Amino acid sequence: GNSVTQMEGPVTLSEEAFLTINCTYTATGYPSLFWYVQYPGEGLQLLLKATKADDKGSNKGFEATYRKETTSFHLEKGSVQVSDSAVYFCALSDRNDYKLSFGAGTTVTVRA
Amino acid sequence: DTGVSQNPRHKITKRGQNVTFRCDPISEHNRLYWYRQTLGQGPEFLTYFQNEAQLEKSRLLSDRFSAERPKGSFSTLEIQRTEQGDSAMYLCASRVAGTGGTEAFFGQGTRLTVV
């Protein structure tokens, strides 16, 4: 079956530091890959996505590249802000039923 | 607001009681999904509908759980004889079928506490 493994947290960083959250997946076929973010008190929001190998998703300064050879989709941001404090979830979507399989989430706290 | 709406936002119930949650998806979305999220974990798939048809149920969905989408619009999730282990955030998401890269939009969830 499909599964997602992401780096455990929590992660605490200073403002303007570099952030990376590792994500690897196991899937049959060719899934789409996503990063969702959950800000305090809010619902899940799509941060970025990639639908095929070597695609790079990007949004709000975050990037992730779909690496089929390493089955990975690591999230990176070069300079984090306090407003990036949130829980980040890596997820994959089966191309048949499009249901999402999520990782356990990584809590990121950015200090001023 | 035309996003996914879930009601209630919070529900506290006594063990053994029945509860029902409602999800109103984005109007043109024909696929509707229910997920459950426990503390410190990612959401786990429960079930999904295409229009009014329930196409798949996870083994997480015991026979105390039932979901409906009677007219292919809003959906309800009912839990009968609640147990403390049912305490979780219940999330609803909707999307358009047939477009693999299109995102699923999530509601803010219903937080259930069974005491």
Side-chain angles (χ1 to χ4, degrees):
Chain A
N2 296 336
S3 67
V4 176
T5 302
Q6 67 180 96
M7 187 175 84
E8 291 185 14
V11 175
T12 303
L13 302 164
S14 297
E15 213 165 17
E16 299 183 3
F18 181 84
L19 171 68
T20 184
I21 304 175
N22 289 340
C23 171
T24 57
Y25 67 90
T26 302
T28 53
Y30 302 95
S32 294
L33 300 176
F34 305 85
W35 278 98
Y36 278 84
V37 60
Q38 192 169 36
Y39 297 105
E42 298 186 16
L44 279 169
Q45 302 173 26
L46 180 69
L47 180 60
L48 53 84
K49 65 184 181 187
T51 58
K52 61 183 187 298
D54 301 324
D55 267 4
K56 178 185 282 188
S58 61
N59 186 27
K60 298 182 180 180
F62 290 89
E63 292 184 339
T65 301
Y66 190 144
R67 300 289 188 199
K68 187 168 180 290
E69 63 277 11
T70 54
T71 62
S72 65
F73 193 56
H74 305 322
L75 182 68
E76 296 182 337
K77 185 173 185 181
S79 176
V80 294
Q81 304 301 312
V82 172
S83 58
D84 294 324
S85 298
V87 183
Y88 292 82
F89 294 93
C90 185
L92 67 82
S93 170
D94 185 286
R95 289 183 187 276
N96 293 318
D97 52 34
Y98 306 117
K99 67 184 185 222
L100 290 161
S101 298
F102 286 88
T106 303
T107 300
V108 174
T109 302
V110 181
R111 300 175 305 194
Chain B
D1 183 53
T2 57
V4 178
S5 176
Q6 291 189 247
N7 288 288
R9 293 288 307 279
H10 303 274
K11 178 71 176 179
I12 300 174
T13 191
K14 292 184 179 179
R15 190 173 49 189
Q17 297 294 304
N18 299 344
V19 294
T20 300
F21 312 140
R22 177 177 170 128
C23 171
D24 287 90
I26 294 171
S27 60
E28 63 268 27
H29 286 184
N30 54 358
R31 286 255 175 117
L32 185 150
Y33 302 79
W34 285 99
Y35 294 84
R36 181 171 68 188
Q37 185 179 15
T38 54
L39 199 62
Q41 298 298 316
E44 295 175 293
F45 168 77
L46 292 179
T47 188
Y48 84 98
F49 294 83
Q50 178 154 320
N51 301 314
E52 67 276 11
Q54 189 173 18
L55 297 187
E56 186 176 343
K57 293 191 291 186
S58 163
R59 55 188 164 80
L60 294 175
L61 214 64
S62 77
D63 56 7
R64 297 184 296 105
F65 289 69
S66 61
E68 295 182 342
R69 195 182 183 199
K71 296 182 180 178
S73 57
F74 73 92
S75 176
T76 58
L77 178 67
E78 181 184 15
I79 309 174
Q80 296 182 326
R81 305 181 303 281
T82 52
E83 302 172 356
Q84 286 188 321
D86 297 330
S87 296
M89 177 76 85
Y90 290 84
L91 298 169
C92 176
S94 70
R95 67 176 299 156
V96 177
T99 49
T102 300
E103 67 183 284
F105 290 83
F106 281 83
Q108 291 194 295
T110 295
R111 182 171 295 283
L112 173 66
T113 303
V114 182
V115 297

